Amino acid sequence: MGLSKHIKRLIASGYITATDVIQSHTRAKLSESEYNVLKKVSKETNFPLEDLIIAYGIESTYGTHPNMNKEGYNRKTAKIGPFQFGLDEAKKYGTSDKGREDLYESAKAYTNLIKDRKITELETELKTAKEQKQMEATRTTAMSALS
């Protein structure tokens, strides 16, 4: 299995480890119905299926983690469901409080979250490049003035 750029980026950033990825594939098996749900989301959102499967395994051990939707948590502050969304985060990325517990809804929200992060990364890279270009222009002007 080859890792996508997204999963490699998560490993590089320290958000997950390579061990997390390996363990997510050995702890539990994905059921056929779960696979079909994730495949549907992948097609609808043009998001890599493998990334969804890996994230589902890491976030909730393929929906088998005993605390995934544990009763008694404060629903307003707890991160729950297959992709571990807090309430505000769930709403921001297109699902509801109850949608956090639904594989289809939370997987779609997860793809929106990752797309948003990629946009933010690109904006940061563009801003940095723009600032570097401005610094170079200032440096060139200063050097010309000293000559």
Side-chain angles (χ1 to χ4, degrees):
M1 169 189 79
L3 297 178
S4 71
K5 288 180 186 176
H6 164 66
I7 296 298
K8 288 178 183 175
R9 210 175 301 134
L10 288 175
I11 292 170
S13 70
Y15 184 73
I16 63 172
T17 67
T19 302
D20 292 329
V21 174
I22 293 165
Q23 287 177 345
S24 75
H25 286 286
T26 58
R27 282 186 275 211
K29 299 286 184 213
L30 191 64
S31 74
E32 186 175 346
S33 64
E34 291 168 320
Y35 176 82
N36 289 335
V37 168
L38 295 178
K39 185 175 179 180
K40 180 179 179 181
V41 170
S42 173
K43 284 183 179 182
E44 288 177 3
T45 61
N46 196 29
F47 194 86
L49 176 59
E50 187 175 79
D51 288 7
L52 276 176
I53 293 170
I54 290 170
Y56 180 44
I58 291 168
E59 294 292 346
S60 65
T61 318
Y62 299 110
T64 64
H65 194 280
N67 295 331
M68 184 176 78
N69 296 322
K70 189 172 182 179
E71 294 297 322
Y73 284 152
N74 180 338
R75 290 192 67 83
K76 290 183 179 181
T77 58
K79 292 190 175 204
I80 61 172
F83 287 88
Q84 298 294 290
F85 279 103
L87 184 57
D88 290 340
E89 198 174 45
K91 289 178 180 177
K92 179 178 179 180
Y93 293 112
T95 193
S96 64
D97 178 21
K98 279 296 194 186
R100 295 186 290 170
E101 296 178 40
D102 179 79
L103 180 58
Y104 176 80
E105 290 294 321
S106 61
K108 282 186 74 169
Y110 177 78
T111 66
N112 292 334
L113 167 90
I114 297 305
K115 288 174 183 176
D116 186 45
R117 285 183 182 169
K118 286 180 180 181
I119 289 168
T120 302
E121 283 178 16
L122 287 173
E123 289 172 343
T124 301
E125 288 174 18
L126 286 171
K127 182 180 176 187
T128 301
K130 195 179 217 181
E131 289 170 353
Q132 287 176 342
K133 196 172 189 177
Q134 287 174 342
M135 284 177 56
E136 288 172 16
T138 302
R139 190 176 299 127
T140 301
T141 302
M143 293 300 280
S144 294
L146 292 173
S147 302

